């Protein structure tokens, strides 16, 4: 089990709760590989602008090594970050929401 985090705003949260991550445009990015994905981190990310008060905790039924393909950490950077496909999150993850 791996737990990863991301942040969203109220509109994004409403989209995610009503239709899932696939239609929650906020926080999703189209990649060069033509799939929707979400940036996830091993700890809750900061919200320096105060515009994304909701933390999504995503418990993934996998090992950290299973996500190596999606590791987006630039060389030498200490903070890890993954661009995880939405389909994988839906298939192997459980999303929990909490306000900060």
């Amino acid at each position: 089990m791996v737990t990863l985090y991301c942040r969203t705003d109220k509109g994004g949260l409403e989209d995610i709760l009503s239709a899932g991550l696939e239609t929650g445009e906020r926080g999703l990015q189209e990649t060069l590989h033509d799939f929707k994905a979400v940036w996830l981190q091993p700890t809750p990310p900061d919200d320096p602008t105060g515009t994304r008060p909701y933390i999504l905790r995503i418990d993934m039924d996998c090992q950290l090594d299973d996500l190596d393909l999606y590791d987006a950490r630039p060389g030498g950077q200490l903070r890890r970050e993954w661009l995880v496909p939405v389909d994988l999150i839906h298939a192997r993850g459980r999303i929990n929401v909490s306000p900060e």
Side-chain angles (χ1 to χ4, degrees), residues 1-96:
M1 175 81 64
V2 174
T3 300
L4 299 170
Y5 301 87
C6 67
R7 284 189 170 272
T8 191
D9 59 17
K10 185 175 181 179
L13 179 62
E14 290 169 354
D15 289 346
I16 291 164
L17 293 178
S18 68
L21 286 169
E22 291 186 46
T23 58
E25 301 288 337
R26 296 171 188 86
L28 299 182
Q29 299 198 10
E30 293 291 337
T31 68
L32 295 176
H33 302 289
D34 197 28
F35 61 84
K36 287 197 175 199
V38 179
W39 287 104
L40 300 176
Q41 297 179 9
T43 58
D46 293 333
D47 183 23
T49 62
T51 59
R52 296 176 162 236
Y54 297 96
I55 297 170
L56 301 181
R57 188 185 83 225
I58 301 173
D59 297 318
M60 299 287 295
D61 184 19
C62 67
Q63 299 299 315
L64 202 51
D65 293 347
D66 297 331
L67 300 176
D68 282 350
L69 177 64
Y70 312 109
D71 192 340
R73 174 180 47 178
Q77 187 176 7
L78 295 177
R79 186 189 79 202
R80 293 192 76 180
E81 197 167 29
W82 295 265
L83 187 58
V84 180
V86 167
D87 290 342
L88 180 63
I89 294 170
H90 284 294
R92 299 179 72 180
R94 187 177 63 244
I95 301 171
N96 299 289

